[in-house]
Each structure stands twice: as C-alpha cells, then as structure tokens.
Amino acid sequence: MEFLFEVLIQYGGELLLQLLFETAAEAGLHSMAETFQRPKNPLIATIGFAFWGLVAGGISLLLLPHSPIADPQWRRINLIVTPIVAAGAMAVIGYVRRRKGSRLVRLDRFGYAYVFALVMALVRYRWAG
C-alpha cells in the first residue's frame, strides 16, 4: 500500500507540474488570442510549441530541480504517460471551451498540447535526475 501511495504522489507531482505550465501557457495564449488572428502554418506552430515546452521545462528545473521519481524505469514510464495525460486534459479543456462557444487556441488541441508536454517532459527527464 505504501508503494502505491509513493508512486501516485510521484506521478501526481510531475503531472501537476506539467498541467500548471500548460494551463499558464494556455491562459497567456487566450489573453493574446486577438493578436493571432491570421492562421499560422501548423508546422511552424508545432515548432513554436516545442520551443515553449523547452522553455517551460527549463523554468520548471529552476522551481523543482530534482524529479520526485527516483527509479529510472518509472521515470521512463513517466516520460510516456505524463505528456499523454496532460495533453488529454488540455483537449478536454478545449472541448469545454468549444461547447461554450469560446475562442480556441492551438494548445486546446491534443496534438499541440502533446508536443508542448513531451518536450517539457524530455527536458525534465534529461536534467532533473
């Protein structure tokens, strides 16, 4: 039971960190939505979200320099699971916004949110040992 609790706390911490950064990025994009009226190239947007994931990963290292997950095998599993869960959460937020008739930004879609979260997770995996 103690092991299960430890694993849930470790994954929960990493997931919460990614969700906080993605939510902050989404809030920032929504506040600037009118400045992005012209549709952008999806490839350039994907590269941009990868860059912002890199920046978010770097900032997260300043705030939490050590990963709460110590076991290397669990860290690799976290590298796969956490970006999928975080991107799924952002897609759900996008779905709710769409139903309410709110303006969507690209981070409200699974693919762009996944790129952001994956790059952030890669940065944390590499340097938050």
Side-chain angles (χ1 to χ4, degrees):
M1 183 69 174
E2 187 176 310
F3 173 75
L4 180 63
F5 181 70
E6 182 179 328
V7 169
L8 287 175
I9 293 298
Q10 290 172 351
Y11 276 111
E14 285 288 330
L15 178 62
L16 181 63
L17 187 66
Q18 289 216 358
L19 285 173
L20 286 173
F21 273 91
E22 281 200 62
T23 303
E26 183 192 31
L29 288 174
H30 274 284
S31 68
M32 298 184 307
E34 291 186 19
T35 62
F36 299 121
Q37 291 292 328
R38 193 179 57 150
K40 304 285 190 254
N41 181 332
L43 179 61
I44 293 173
T46 302
I47 293 169
F49 281 112
F51 172 76
W52 287 114
L54 185 70
V55 170
I59 292 171
S60 76
L61 289 172
L62 294 173
L63 300 174
L64 188 65
H66 301 288
S67 176
I69 304 171
D71 182 9
Q73 180 66 26
W74 287 107
R75 289 189 70 218
R76 284 190 289 277
I77 291 170
N78 180 63
L79 184 61
I80 296 167
V81 172
T82 300
I84 292 170
V85 173
M90 297 308 290
V92 168
I93 291 170
Y95 174 76
V96 170
R97 287 184 188 273
R98 188 178 317 111
R99 290 201 53 181
K100 289 183 176 183
S102 298
R103 168 174 256 141
L104 298 179
V105 294
R106 290 184 192 248
L107 201 55
D108 288 327
R109 295 176 183 92
F110 182 86
Y112 294 110
Y114 179 76
V115 167
F116 181 95
L118 179 63
V119 172
M120 182 177 170
L122 285 168
V123 168
R124 289 201 51 77
Y125 178 78
R126 173 66 177 96
W127 283 288

